[in-house]
């Protein structure tokens, strides 16, 4: 049985082969001061465990579920089926398959009434999932809102500095 730590953000992935990509999400969350719950759960290989996680997530203090999967990529959709929490989907570029396009379409094409907020394929999507999770939390948490403001400010300053360097 996996240890149940409390966190407002859960980062799930369909396989441990997704972890090198999802490290970008986990690192960004940690940079924001959020220690996520991290689980390998599959809509296909471990459907009962995935369903159990989704069903109990809100009661365990989770506020946002990030779900990454490759190929047929039903993990985010399965989470949405069993939880009313916002689900952020990250399509993985699996070593086989269609370079992530398969996972992108599987994740984004949810039926009406059952949305999954879908990020870009791969590491960019993984990082953006962390930022999007922070944006959701920032709506009801002043400390998270400040973290978000500081992050955006630093990002803007970095870009302006690059522009200034190029135009010196
Ligand atoms: C998906 O199948 C996983 O999310 C992973 O991206 C892909 C391949 O899984 P492995 O065969 O590498 O475990 O369910």
């Amino acid at each position: 049985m996996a240890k149940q730590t409390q966190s407002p953000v859960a980062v799930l992935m369909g396989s441990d082969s997704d972890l090198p990509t999802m490290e970008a999400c986990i690192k960004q969350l940690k940079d924001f001061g959020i220690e996520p719950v991290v689980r390998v759960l599959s809509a296909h290989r471990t459907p009962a465990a995935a369903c159990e996680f989704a069903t109990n997530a809100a009661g365990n203090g989770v506020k946002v579920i990030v779900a990454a999967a490759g190929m047929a990529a039903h993990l985010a959709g399965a989470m949405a089926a069993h939880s009313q929490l916002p689900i952020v989907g990250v399509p993985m570029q699996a070593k086989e398959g269609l370079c992530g396009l398969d996972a992108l379409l599987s994740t984004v094409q949810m039926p009406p009434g059952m949305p999954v907020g879908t990020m870009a394929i791969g590491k960019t999507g993984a990082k953006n999932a962390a930022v999007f999770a922070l944006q959701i939390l920032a709506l009801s948490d002043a400390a998270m809102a400040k973290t978000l403001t500081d992050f955006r400010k630093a990002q803007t300053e970095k870009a302006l500095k690059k522009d200034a360097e190029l135009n010196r």
Side-chain angles (χ1 to χ4, degrees):
M1 183 121 170
K3 68 177 168 19
Q4 190 62 64
T5 44
Q6 285 259 344
S7 173
V9 182
V11 177
L12 315 181
M13 58 204 89
S15 166
D16 64 345
S17 68
D18 301 322
L19 185 56
T21 306
M22 290 310 290
E23 291 284 13
C25 179
I26 295 163
K27 181 184 179 310
Q28 186 65 68
L29 286 168
K30 288 183 176 174
D31 288 350
F32 290 149
I34 300 167
E35 189 71 40
V37 173
V38 179
R39 298 283 304 271
V40 175
L41 291 169
S42 168
H44 307 119
R45 291 168 176 158
T46 62
C51 173
E52 186 193 3
F53 182 89
T55 304
N56 297 323
N60 286 326
V62 175
K63 297 202 162 89
V64 184
I65 297 176
V66 175
M71 304 185 83
H74 290 126
L75 183 58
M79 289 298 113
H82 295 288
S83 173
Q84 292 186 39
L85 291 171
I87 313 297
V88 183
V90 188
M92 294 289 98
Q93 194 168 345
K95 54 189 178 298
E96 294 183 20
L98 305 175
C99 299
L101 185 59
D102 40 8
L104 172 63
L105 296 177
S106 299
T107 306
V108 79
Q109 289 286 31
M110 287 294 288
M114 300 298 293
V116 164
T118 304
M119 303 291 110
I121 297 166
K123 280 193 178 161
T124 297
K127 176 173 174 159
N128 274 349
V131 179
F132 201 57
L134 179 68
Q135 288 176 312
I136 294 167
L137 298 176
L139 290 170
S140 57
D141 185 314
M144 297 280 179
K146 177 167 183 340
T147 301
L148 176 60
T149 301
D150 291 348
F151 168 77
R152 295 280 293 247
K153 188 162 170 263
Q155 183 169 250
T156 300
E157 282 169 0
K158 190 175 166 199
L160 289 173
K161 189 164 166 254
K162 285 279 168 211
D163 179 55
E165 281 168 13
L166 283 170
N167 291 288
R168 250 202 305 255

